[in-house]
mmCIF file of all heavy atoms in Angstrom:
data_model
loop_
_atom_site.group_PDB
_atom_site.id
_atom_site.type_symbol
_atom_site.label_atom_id
_atom_site.label_comp_id
_atom_site.label_asym_id
_atom_site.label_seq_id
_atom_site.Cartn_x
_atom_site.Cartn_y
_atom_site.Cartn_z
ATOM 1 N N ASN A 220 106.149 25.082 181.488
ATOM 2 C CA ASN A 220 107.322 24.228 181.401
ATOM 3 C C ASN A 220 106.862 22.786 181.284
ATOM 4 O O ASN A 220 106.477 22.166 182.273
ATOM 5 C CB ASN A 220 108.221 24.409 182.626
ATOM 6 C CG ASN A 220 109.574 23.701 182.480
ATOM 7 O OD1 ASN A 220 109.705 22.772 181.679
ATOM 8 N ND2 ASN A 220 110.556 24.108 183.255
ATOM 9 N N ASN A 221 106.905 22.242 180.078
ATOM 10 C CA ASN A 221 106.389 20.897 179.856
ATOM 11 C C ASN A 221 107.302 19.798 180.384
ATOM 12 O O ASN A 221 106.991 18.614 180.257
ATOM 13 C CB ASN A 221 106.092 20.657 178.372
ATOM 14 C CG ASN A 221 107.319 20.827 177.497
ATOM 15 O OD1 ASN A 221 108.456 20.923 177.975
ATOM 16 N ND2 ASN A 221 107.110 20.866 176.176
ATOM 17 N N ARG A 222 108.440 20.195 180.988
ATOM 18 C CA ARG A 222 109.324 19.199 181.610
ATOM 19 C C ARG A 222 109.179 19.149 183.136
ATOM 20 O O ARG A 222 109.853 18.381 183.807
ATOM 21 C CB ARG A 222 110.791 19.487 181.251
ATOM 22 C CG ARG A 222 111.130 19.199 179.792
ATOM 23 C CD ARG A 222 112.613 19.383 179.530
ATOM 24 N NE ARG A 222 113.443 18.580 180.421
ATOM 25 C CZ ARG A 222 113.695 17.279 180.264
ATOM 26 N NH1 ARG A 222 113.174 16.631 179.242
ATOM 27 N NH2 ARG A 222 114.467 16.638 181.107
ATOM 28 N N LYS A 223 108.279 19.981 183.666
ATOM 29 C CA LYS A 223 108.051 20.022 185.102
ATOM 30 C C LYS A 223 106.606 19.653 185.427
ATOM 31 O O LYS A 223 105.683 20.006 184.697
ATOM 32 C CB LYS A 223 108.354 21.419 185.659
ATOM 33 C CG LYS A 223 109.808 21.842 185.532
ATOM 34 C CD LYS A 223 110.688 21.091 186.513
ATOM 35 C CE LYS A 223 112.128 21.620 186.460
ATOM 36 N NZ LYS A 223 112.994 20.918 187.453
ATOM 37 N N PHE A 224 106.442 18.948 186.566
ATOM 38 C CA PHE A 224 105.107 18.481 186.964
ATOM 39 C C PHE A 224 104.908 18.709 188.458
ATOM 40 O O PHE A 224 105.858 18.668 189.239
ATOM 41 C CB PHE A 224 104.945 16.985 186.668
ATOM 42 C CG PHE A 224 105.027 16.647 185.198
ATOM 43 C CD1 PHE A 224 106.245 16.553 184.547
ATOM 44 C CD2 PHE A 224 103.859 16.430 184.475
ATOM 45 C CE1 PHE A 224 106.317 16.260 183.196
ATOM 46 C CE2 PHE A 224 103.921 16.119 183.125
ATOM 47 C CZ PHE A 224 105.146 16.036 182.491
ATOM 48 N N ASN A 225 103.642 18.945 188.836
ATOM 49 C CA ASN A 225 103.270 18.998 190.242
ATOM 50 C C ASN A 225 102.680 17.656 190.651
ATOM 51 O O ASN A 225 101.722 17.183 190.027
ATOM 52 C CB ASN A 225 102.226 20.097 190.494
ATOM 53 C CG ASN A 225 102.873 21.444 190.747
ATOM 54 O OD1 ASN A 225 103.990 21.527 191.239
ATOM 55 N ND2 ASN A 225 102.169 22.513 190.416
ATOM 56 N N LEU A 226 103.266 17.056 191.672
ATOM 57 C CA LEU A 226 102.691 15.844 192.250
ATOM 58 C C LEU A 226 101.764 16.272 193.387
ATOM 59 O O LEU A 226 102.205 16.929 194.325
ATOM 60 C CB LEU A 226 103.781 14.918 192.812
ATOM 61 C CG LEU A 226 104.869 14.409 191.857
ATOM 62 C CD1 LEU A 226 105.728 13.382 192.580
ATOM 63 C CD2 LEU A 226 104.276 13.819 190.595
ATOM 64 N N ILE A 227 100.483 15.919 193.298
ATOM 65 C CA ILE A 227 99.524 16.208 194.364
ATOM 66 C C ILE A 227 99.497 14.979 195.251
ATOM 67 O O ILE A 227 99.035 13.915 194.854
ATOM 68 C CB ILE A 227 98.118 16.497 193.811
ATOM 69 C CG1 ILE A 227 98.194 17.554 192.684
ATOM 70 C CG2 ILE A 227 97.202 16.968 194.927
ATOM 71 C CD1 ILE A 227 98.843 18.851 193.110
ATOM 72 N N ILE A 228 100.056 15.125 196.443
ATOM 73 C CA ILE A 228 100.242 13.994 197.349
ATOM 74 C C ILE A 228 99.330 14.144 198.569
ATOM 75 O O ILE A 228 99.241 15.203 199.160
ATOM 76 C CB ILE A 228 101.706 13.892 197.809
ATOM 77 C CG1 ILE A 228 102.621 13.765 196.576
ATOM 78 C CG2 ILE A 228 101.906 12.697 198.732
ATOM 79 C CD1 ILE A 228 104.089 13.803 196.904
ATOM 80 N N SER A 229 98.623 13.068 198.947
ATOM 81 C CA SER A 229 97.734 13.126 200.123
ATOM 82 C C SER A 229 98.569 13.206 201.392
ATOM 83 O O SER A 229 99.684 12.712 201.438
ATOM 84 C CB SER A 229 96.859 11.876 200.144
ATOM 85 O OG SER A 229 97.666 10.694 200.268
ATOM 86 N N PRO A 230 98.025 13.814 202.441
ATOM 87 C CA PRO A 230 96.728 14.491 202.446
ATOM 88 C C PRO A 230 96.777 15.909 201.880
ATOM 89 O O PRO A 230 95.835 16.364 201.258
ATOM 90 C CB PRO A 230 96.378 14.545 203.935
ATOM 91 C CG PRO A 230 97.720 14.577 204.618
ATOM 92 C CD PRO A 230 98.630 13.730 203.790
ATOM 93 N N THR A 231 97.876 16.654 202.067
ATOM 94 C CA THR A 231 97.898 18.051 201.611
ATOM 95 C C THR A 231 99.170 18.462 200.891
ATOM 96 O O THR A 231 99.260 19.581 200.402
ATOM 97 C CB THR A 231 97.729 18.994 202.829
ATOM 98 O OG1 THR A 231 98.787 18.739 203.766
ATOM 99 C CG2 THR A 231 96.378 18.806 203.490
ATOM 100 N N ALA A 232 100.138 17.590 200.802
ATOM 101 C CA ALA A 232 101.462 17.959 200.280
ATOM 102 C C ALA A 232 101.484 17.976 198.752
ATOM 103 O O ALA A 232 100.872 17.133 198.095
ATOM 104 C CB ALA A 232 102.509 16.999 200.799
ATOM 105 N N ASN A 233 102.216 18.976 198.215
ATOM 106 C CA ASN A 233 102.486 19.059 196.769
ATOM 107 C C ASN A 233 103.990 19.007 196.560
ATOM 108 O O ASN A 233 104.753 19.495 197.389
ATOM 109 C CB ASN A 233 101.940 20.353 196.162
ATOM 110 C CG ASN A 233 100.425 20.411 196.201
ATOM 111 O OD1 ASN A 233 99.758 19.404 196.392
ATOM 112 N ND2 ASN A 233 99.880 21.606 196.023
ATOM 113 N N LEU A 234 104.410 18.422 195.463
ATOM 114 C CA LEU A 234 105.847 18.306 195.169
ATOM 115 C C LEU A 234 106.066 18.542 193.686
ATOM 116 O O LEU A 234 105.404 17.907 192.848
ATOM 117 C CB LEU A 234 106.351 16.911 195.565
ATOM 118 C CG LEU A 234 107.826 16.618 195.325
ATOM 119 C CD1 LEU A 234 108.706 17.533 196.159
ATOM 120 C CD2 LEU A 234 108.124 15.149 195.645
ATOM 121 N N ARG A 235 106.951 19.468 193.337
ATOM 122 C CA ARG A 235 107.260 19.751 191.936
ATOM 123 C C ARG A 235 108.497 18.966 191.526
ATOM 124 O O ARG A 235 109.541 19.059 192.181
ATOM 125 C CB ARG A 235 107.493 21.241 191.732
ATOM 126 C CG ARG A 235 107.787 21.640 190.292
ATOM 127 C CD ARG A 235 107.833 23.149 190.135
ATOM 128 N NE ARG A 235 106.528 23.728 190.411
ATOM 129 C CZ ARG A 235 106.258 25.027 190.325
ATOM 130 N NH1 ARG A 235 107.215 25.877 189.957
ATOM 131 N NH2 ARG A 235 105.051 25.477 190.612
ATOM 132 N N VAL A 236 108.372 18.183 190.440
ATOM 133 C CA VAL A 236 109.485 17.355 189.988
ATOM 134 C C VAL A 236 109.622 17.464 188.465
ATOM 135 O O VAL A 236 108.706 17.918 187.769
ATOM 136 C CB VAL A 236 109.280 15.870 190.371
ATOM 137 C CG1 VAL A 236 109.237 15.714 191.893
ATOM 138 C CG2 VAL A 236 108.019 15.308 189.736
ATOM 139 N N SER A 237 110.760 16.981 187.962
ATOM 140 C CA SER A 237 111.005 17.009 186.522
ATOM 141 C C SER A 237 110.522 15.719 185.875
ATOM 142 O O SER A 237 110.266 14.711 186.545
ATOM 143 C CB SER A 237 112.505 17.177 186.259
ATOM 144 O OG SER A 237 113.203 16.001 186.647
ATOM 145 N N ILE A 238 110.448 15.730 184.553
ATOM 146 C CA ILE A 238 110.066 14.530 183.817
ATOM 147 C C ILE A 238 111.083 13.408 184.029
ATOM 148 O O ILE A 238 110.731 12.234 184.056
ATOM 149 C CB ILE A 238 109.919 14.846 182.300
ATOM 150 C CG1 ILE A 238 109.454 13.614 181.515
ATOM 151 C CG2 ILE A 238 111.228 15.388 181.728
ATOM 152 C CD1 ILE A 238 108.082 13.133 181.890
ATOM 153 N N ASP A 239 112.356 13.779 184.211
ATOM 154 C CA ASP A 239 113.392 12.763 184.470
ATOM 155 C C ASP A 239 113.131 12.005 185.760
ATOM 156 O O ASP A 239 113.339 10.789 185.835
ATOM 157 C CB ASP A 239 114.781 13.437 184.540
ATOM 158 C CG ASP A 239 115.128 14.156 183.253
ATOM 159 O OD1 ASP A 239 115.108 13.498 182.202
ATOM 160 O OD2 ASP A 239 115.396 15.366 183.295
ATOM 161 N N THR A 240 112.665 12.725 186.778
ATOM 162 C CA THR A 240 112.353 12.088 188.067
ATOM 163 C C THR A 240 111.144 11.166 187.929
ATOM 164 O O THR A 240 111.134 10.052 188.473
ATOM 165 C CB THR A 240 112.075 13.168 189.135
ATOM 166 O OG1 THR A 240 113.201 14.037 189.222
ATOM 167 C CG2 THR A 240 111.826 12.537 190.496
ATOM 168 N N ILE A 241 110.146 11.608 187.205
ATOM 169 C CA ILE A 241 108.951 10.785 186.990
ATOM 170 C C ILE A 241 109.298 9.490 186.279
ATOM 171 O O ILE A 241 108.843 8.397 186.669
ATOM 172 C CB ILE A 241 107.895 11.572 186.186
ATOM 173 C CG1 ILE A 241 107.296 12.664 187.071
ATOM 174 C CG2 ILE A 241 106.792 10.651 185.670
ATOM 175 C CD1 ILE A 241 106.304 13.569 186.372
ATOM 176 N N LEU A 242 110.147 9.593 185.271
ATOM 177 C CA LEU A 242 110.540 8.397 184.514
ATOM 178 C C LEU A 242 111.427 7.460 185.338
ATOM 179 O O LEU A 242 111.255 6.231 185.285
ATOM 180 C CB LEU A 242 111.256 8.808 183.232
ATOM 181 C CG LEU A 242 110.401 9.546 182.189
ATOM 182 C CD1 LEU A 242 111.265 10.017 181.029
ATOM 183 C CD2 LEU A 242 109.279 8.651 181.689
ATOM 184 N N LYS A 243 112.360 8.051 186.086
ATOM 185 C CA LYS A 243 113.271 7.210 186.888
ATOM 186 C C LYS A 243 112.521 6.393 187.944
ATOM 187 O O LYS A 243 112.813 5.203 188.140
ATOM 188 C CB LYS A 243 114.335 8.069 187.576
ATOM 189 C CG LYS A 243 115.282 7.265 188.461
ATOM 190 C CD LYS A 243 116.387 8.106 189.041
ATOM 191 C CE LYS A 243 117.259 7.306 190.007
ATOM 192 N NZ LYS A 243 117.923 6.147 189.349
ATOM 193 N N TYR A 244 111.558 7.031 188.615
ATOM 194 C CA TYR A 244 110.856 6.360 189.712
ATOM 195 C C TYR A 244 109.485 5.817 189.284
ATOM 196 O O TYR A 244 108.724 5.350 190.128
ATOM 197 C CB TYR A 244 110.716 7.312 190.896
ATOM 198 C CG TYR A 244 112.039 7.592 191.568
ATOM 199 C CD1 TYR A 244 112.781 8.726 191.246
ATOM 200 C CD2 TYR A 244 112.555 6.705 192.509
ATOM 201 C CE1 TYR A 244 114.003 8.971 191.859
ATOM 202 C CE2 TYR A 244 113.786 6.948 193.115
ATOM 203 C CZ TYR A 244 114.507 8.079 192.773
ATOM 204 O OH TYR A 244 115.715 8.319 193.387
ATOM 205 N N ASN A 245 109.189 5.914 187.976
ATOM 206 C CA ASN A 245 107.928 5.387 187.443
ATOM 207 C C ASN A 245 106.728 5.922 188.244
ATOM 208 O O ASN A 245 105.836 5.167 188.654
ATOM 209 C CB ASN A 245 107.933 3.855 187.460
ATOM 210 C CG ASN A 245 106.814 3.263 186.619
ATOM 211 O OD1 ASN A 245 106.326 3.888 185.680
ATOM 212 N ND2 ASN A 245 106.391 2.049 186.970
ATOM 213 N N LEU A 246 106.743 7.236 188.466
ATOM 214 C CA LEU A 246 105.687 7.842 189.267
ATOM 215 C C LEU A 246 104.382 7.917 188.465
ATOM 216 O O LEU A 246 104.371 8.252 187.290
ATOM 217 C CB LEU A 246 106.114 9.256 189.698
ATOM 218 C CG LEU A 246 107.418 9.344 190.492
ATOM 219 C CD1 LEU A 246 107.724 10.789 190.826
ATOM 220 C CD2 LEU A 246 107.332 8.498 191.757
ATOM 221 N N LYS A 247 103.274 7.610 189.155
ATOM 222 C CA LYS A 247 101.962 7.654 188.513
ATOM 223 C C LYS A 247 100.881 7.825 189.573
ATOM 224 O O LYS A 247 101.125 7.624 190.767
ATOM 225 C CB LYS A 247 101.719 6.353 187.729
ATOM 226 C CG LYS A 247 101.880 5.088 188.558
ATOM 227 C CD LYS A 247 101.871 3.858 187.674
ATOM 228 C CE LYS A 247 102.148 2.600 188.492
ATOM 229 N NZ LYS A 247 102.171 1.383 187.626
ATOM 230 N N GLU A 248 99.713 8.226 189.122
ATOM 231 C CA GLU A 248 98.607 8.435 190.062
ATOM 232 C C GLU A 248 98.249 7.135 190.767
ATOM 233 O O GLU A 248 98.212 6.070 190.158
ATOM 234 C CB GLU A 248 97.387 8.988 189.314
ATOM 235 C CG GLU A 248 97.596 10.377 188.758
ATOM 236 C CD GLU A 248 96.359 10.910 188.046
ATOM 237 O OE1 GLU A 248 95.294 10.271 188.132
ATOM 238 O OE2 GLU A 248 96.459 11.978 187.403
ATOM 239 N N GLY A 249 98.022 7.234 192.072
ATOM 240 C CA GLY A 249 97.679 6.066 192.860
ATOM 241 C C GLY A 249 98.870 5.370 193.496
ATOM 242 O O GLY A 249 98.701 4.487 194.348
ATOM 243 N N LEU A 250 100.072 5.754 193.106
ATOM 244 C CA LEU A 250 101.273 5.116 193.654
ATOM 245 C C LEU A 250 101.454 5.540 195.111
ATOM 246 O O LEU A 250 101.360 6.712 195.454
ATOM 247 C CB LEU A 250 102.496 5.520 192.848
ATOM 248 C CG LEU A 250 103.821 4.864 193.247
ATOM 249 C CD1 LEU A 250 103.766 3.361 193.006
ATOM 250 C CD2 LEU A 250 104.975 5.482 192.474
ATOM 251 N N VAL A 251 101.719 4.572 195.979
ATOM 252 C CA VAL A 251 101.936 4.827 197.405
ATOM 253 C C VAL A 251 103.438 4.962 197.659
ATOM 254 O O VAL A 251 104.215 4.088 197.286
ATOM 255 C CB VAL A 251 101.345 3.691 198.270
ATOM 256 C CG1 VAL A 251 101.620 3.950 199.756
ATOM 257 C CG2 VAL A 251 99.853 3.569 198.018
ATOM 258 N N LEU A 252 103.810 6.058 198.311
ATOM 259 C CA LEU A 252 105.211 6.342 198.579
ATOM 260 C C LEU A 252 105.491 6.338 200.074
ATOM 261 O O LEU A 252 104.751 6.933 200.856
ATOM 262 C CB LEU A 252 105.574 7.717 198.008
ATOM 263 C CG LEU A 252 105.326 7.938 196.518
ATOM 264 C CD1 LEU A 252 105.552 9.408 196.177
ATOM 265 C CD2 LEU A 252 106.187 7.048 195.676
ATOM 266 N N SER A 253 106.588 5.703 200.452
ATOM 267 C CA SER A 253 107.038 5.750 201.843
ATOM 268 C C SER A 253 107.833 7.032 202.064
ATOM 269 O O SER A 253 108.161 7.732 201.108
ATOM 270 C CB SER A 253 107.896 4.526 202.167
ATOM 271 O OG SER A 253 109.137 4.625 201.484
ATOM 272 N N GLU A 254 108.180 7.307 203.308
ATOM 273 C CA GLU A 254 109.000 8.487 203.602
ATOM 274 C C GLU A 254 110.367 8.373 202.923
ATOM 275 O O GLU A 254 110.900 9.364 202.414
ATOM 276 C CB GLU A 254 109.176 8.632 205.122
ATOM 277 C CG GLU A 254 107.915 9.047 205.862
ATOM 278 C CD GLU A 254 107.468 10.443 205.467
ATOM 279 O OE1 GLU A 254 108.332 11.324 205.226
ATOM 280 O OE2 GLU A 254 106.248 10.657 205.379
ATOM 281 N N SER A 255 110.925 7.169 202.924
ATOM 282 C CA SER A 255 112.237 6.998 202.282
ATOM 283 C C SER A 255 112.136 7.171 200.768
ATOM 284 O O SER A 255 113.062 7.683 200.125
ATOM 285 C CB SER A 255 112.824 5.614 202.613
ATOM 286 O OG SER A 255 111.971 4.581 202.142
ATOM 287 N N ASP A 256 111.007 6.741 200.183
ATOM 288 C CA ASP A 256 110.787 6.977 198.758
ATOM 289 C C ASP A 256 110.787 8.462 198.468
ATOM 290 O O ASP A 256 111.440 8.921 197.513
ATOM 291 C CB ASP A 256 109.429 6.397 198.331
ATOM 292 C CG ASP A 256 109.386 4.892 198.331
ATOM 293 O OD1 ASP A 256 110.467 4.269 198.204
ATOM 294 O OD2 ASP A 256 108.283 4.338 198.463
ATOM 295 N N LEU A 257 110.060 9.233 199.269
ATOM 296 C CA LEU A 257 109.964 10.679 199.066
ATOM 297 C C LEU A 257 111.326 11.344 199.200
ATOM 298 O O LEU A 257 111.683 12.235 198.415
ATOM 299 C CB LEU A 257 108.971 11.285 200.059
ATOM 300 C CG LEU A 257 107.492 11.115 199.722
ATOM 301 C CD1 LEU A 257 106.623 11.586 200.877
ATOM 302 C CD2 LEU A 257 107.139 11.876 198.453
#
């Protein structure tokens, strides 16, 4: 599914999101997320 992605989040959490979510929140490798962001 090329519209779905796995976010590998430190230390051990993984999160599956859509391309729409990635674009809306400008998600990228190295981005630091707070609990409220998540």
Side-chain angles (χ1 to χ4, degrees):
N220 189 339
N221 59 11
R222 289 185 55 80
K223 296 288 185 178
F224 296 80
N225 273 332
L226 302 187
I227 310 303
I228 302 174
S229 62
T231 58
N233 293 344
L234 179 63
R235 182 172 296 182
V236 298
S237 69
I238 182 64
D239 300 304
T240 303
I241 289 176
L242 294 175
K243 177 176 176 61
Y244 290 96
N245 194 25
L246 303 179
K247 54 190 176 181
E248 293 181 9
L250 184 65
V251 178
L252 303 172
S253 70
E254 290 295 324
S255 61
D256 290 335
L257 282 172

